[in-house]
């Protein structure tokens, strides 16, 4: 697999419209991300119709910008890689249609890419580092997923477990809403937690012994109970708590509980499956406390993407595109979006 490639990646699965040009799966030539966060913030979460309309408005400009910043035209691109799922159906379709149109017009191959698989490949985009060596233990923690995987080779996964209820990022977003901290919840909780004590509350850590699964809904309920104990008449999740509630302590104690479960379980799995290295990716991997805990507690190397590549971007889509292009994948121009596409089917 030594053939040189230059892949155009397109990503519209949730609330970022993104396009990128990546060489050889590792070298980011350009990466453009148009965030919709300000559009969704008033709703306290991603509003699907608003998301798809915003993708339609920005997709052409974002793709043009990625190509022009890379100083290339489609003539010097080898394939177009686009997120096919999982994600919001109405949003996925916008990126897919754009990619299909470009593929049809240029004759370039179209590659439908799994967004979760792409989060793992964000690690390969740190070009200065040597490539990780298999077998690898992968943790993907995003707004919609918490997945633990064993990666035995490129594009080859065994799913060990995942969340049974809320994803890690979803738990951050929901608890941020309970505490009146706004959207997206992860960064807001992280900032607030800096001012609080992580040992102020002993929140539950669902270990789910004997499985590699996670559960965060009990933790979310425990935070809700604390809010209600202090302000029983508050419409929690709708109204922000009034002064008097020690929000920073709640945020710090909640964050510590999420971090403990994610780090301990991932490192235990790495041990059990004798992984050479651990890869942590997805929006929640931007979390400072999580990154520090992995660095402190891990015995074998743990890699996490640089902050800009933790959250959604198209460079990671183009990176998977490289490996899949070399592996011979060529998709038909009528492929559908797959809003609930598990990574284990890769
Ligand atoms: O991977 P991502 O950008 O989108 C999905 O594929 O879902 O992840 C978004 C999620 C959101 O739930 C957001 O609150 C969370 O990642 N997130 C964080 C941080 N930055 C983003 N969670 C904790 N700490 C952060 N610093
Ligand atoms: Zn994502």
């Amino acid at each position: 697999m030594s053939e040189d490639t230059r892949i155009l990646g397109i990503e519209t699965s949730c609330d970022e419209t993104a396009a990128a040009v990546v060489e050889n799966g590792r070298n980011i030539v350009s990466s453009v991300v148009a965030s919709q966060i300000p559009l969704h913030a008033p709703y306290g979460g991603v509003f699907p119709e608003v998301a798809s309309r915003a993708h339609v408005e920005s997709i052409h400009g974002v793709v043009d910008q990625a190509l022009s910043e890379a100083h290339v035209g489609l003539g010097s691109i080898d394939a177009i890689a686009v997120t096919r799922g999982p994600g919001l159906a109405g949003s996925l379709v916008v990126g897919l249609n754009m990619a299909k149109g470009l593929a049809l017009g240029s004759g370039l191959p179209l590659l439908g890419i799994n967004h979760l698989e792409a989060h793992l490949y964000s690690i390969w985009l740190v070009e200065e580092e040597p490539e990780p060596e298999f077998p690898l233990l992968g943790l993907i923690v995003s707004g919609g997923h918490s997945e633990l995987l064993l990666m035995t080779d490129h594009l080859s996964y065994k799913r060990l477990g995942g969340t049974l209820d809320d994803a890690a990022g979803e738990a951050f977003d929901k608890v941020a809403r309970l505490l009146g901290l706004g959207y997206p919840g992860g960064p807001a909780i992280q900032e607030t937690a800096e001012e609080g004590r992580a040992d102020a509350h002993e929140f539950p850590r669902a270990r789910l012994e004997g499985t590699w699964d996670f559960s965060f809904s009990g933790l979310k309920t425990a935070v809700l109970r604390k809010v209600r104990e202090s302000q029983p008449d508050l419409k929690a999740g709708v109204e922000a708590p009034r002064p008097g509630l020690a929000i920073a302590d709640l945020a710090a104690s909640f964050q510590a509980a999420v971090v403990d479960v994610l780090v301990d379980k991932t490192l235990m799995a790495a041990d059990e499956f004798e992984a050479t290295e651990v890869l942590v990716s997805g929006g929640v991997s931007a979390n400072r406390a999580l990154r520090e805990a992995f660095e402190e507690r891990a015995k074998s190397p743990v890699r996490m993407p640089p902050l800009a590549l933790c959250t959604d971007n198209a460079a990671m889509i183009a990176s998977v595109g490289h490996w899949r292009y070399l592996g011979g994948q060529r998709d038909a121009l009528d492929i559908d979006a797959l809003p609930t596409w598990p990574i284990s089917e890769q």
Side-chain angles (χ1 to χ4, degrees):
M1 295 214 280
S2 60
E3 199 184 320
D4 284 341
T5 66
R6 189 179 291 125
I7 309 283
L8 171 66
I10 297 177
E11 152 67 36
T12 62
S13 69
C14 189
D15 59 349
E16 326 277 359
T17 315
V21 174
V22 171
E23 287 175 349
N24 301 326
R26 304 209 65 198
N27 172 21
I28 302 175
V29 188
S30 66
S31 178
V32 180
V33 180
S35 172
Q36 302 177 1
I37 285 175
L39 294 178
H40 299 292
Y43 304 101
V46 178
F47 198 115
E49 284 77 10
V50 171
S52 41
R53 200 172 331 125
H55 286 308
V56 170
E57 280 165 16
S58 44
I59 186 78
H60 281 91
V62 166
V63 171
D64 282 349
Q65 195 183 334
L67 289 170
S68 73
E69 284 181 11
H71 304 293
V72 294
L74 285 179
S76 28
I77 295 286
D78 294 298
I80 300 166
V82 59
T83 307
R84 190 177 179 191
L88 299 169
S91 291
L92 288 166
V93 162
V94 179
L96 261 177
N97 283 345
M98 180 75 192
K100 287 175 183 177
L102 292 174
L104 187 65
S106 62
L108 288 174
L110 176 74
L111 310 174
I113 303 296
N114 184 294
H115 179 91
L116 297 175
E117 176 176 40
H119 270 303
L120 281 179
Y121 272 84
S122 59
I123 307 281
W124 270 264
L125 292 166
V126 185
E127 220 196 345
E128 313 77 67
E129 298 276 333
E131 279 193 57
E133 280 179 33
F134 301 105
L136 298 165
L137 203 288
L139 172 70
I140 306 167
V141 270
S142 70
H145 296 84
S146 307
E147 300 275 308
L148 207 49
L149 307 142
L150 186 63
M151 196 175 176
T152 47
D153 199 347
H154 275 298
L155 314 178
S156 175
Y157 313 94
K158 180 173 187 281
R159 182 178 186 272
L160 304 176
T163 189
L164 302 177
D165 37 58
D166 293 342
E170 195 177 359
F172 270 96
D173 293 335
K174 287 180 176 173
V175 167
R177 208 173 310 152
L178 282 180
L179 300 180
L181 295 177
Y183 178 82
I189 297 242
Q190 171 174 307
E191 288 316 311
T192 310
E194 307 271 310
E195 312 296 320
R197 286 188 306 122
D199 61 357
H201 303 280
E202 191 50 46
F203 284 136
R205 277 118 169 107
R207 303 273 177 200
L208 308 182
E209 308 278 349
T211 76
W212 299 111
D213 290 325
F214 301 105
S215 166
F216 295 110
S217 72
L219 173 58
K220 178 192 63 191
T221 310
V223 179
L224 174 63
R225 207 173 297 130
K226 286 284 171 200
V227 173
R228 290 225 170 106
E229 269 169 26
S230 154
Q231 302 185 357
D233 57 330
L234 183 83
K235 289 201 195 89
V238 180
E239 293 170 348
R242 294 182 293 271
L245 187 68
I247 289 176
D249 283 348
L250 287 168
S253 303
F254 159 79
Q255 180 175 266
V258 176
V259 165
D260 271 353
V261 172
L262 290 176
V263 173
D264 291 351
K265 211 144 186 175
T266 303
L267 296 181
M268 217 192 293
D271 239 24
E272 170 96 10
F273 295 95
E274 297 179 354
T276 322
E277 295 186 47
V278 174
L279 310 183
V280 186
S281 63
V284 180
S285 69
N287 186 267
R288 210 176 296 142
L290 182 78
R291 295 171 84 94
E292 285 170 5
F294 266 117
E295 272 157 20
E296 276 163 24
R297 298 183 208 173
K299 285 188 244 91
S300 45
V302 176
R303 296 205 208 188
M304 293 167 274
L307 294 184
L309 294 175
C310 291
T311 45
D312 289 347
N313 64 86
M316 65 186 195
I317 307 298
S319 178
V320 179
H322 163 82
W323 303 103
R324 293 207 162 270
Y325 177 76
L326 293 187
Q329 178 174 332
R330 304 289 183 268
D331 286 325
L333 289 185
D334 62 352
I335 54 169
D336 294 328
L338 298 174
T340 59
W341 195 14
I343 189 171
S344 48
E345 287 180 10
Q346 293 304 293

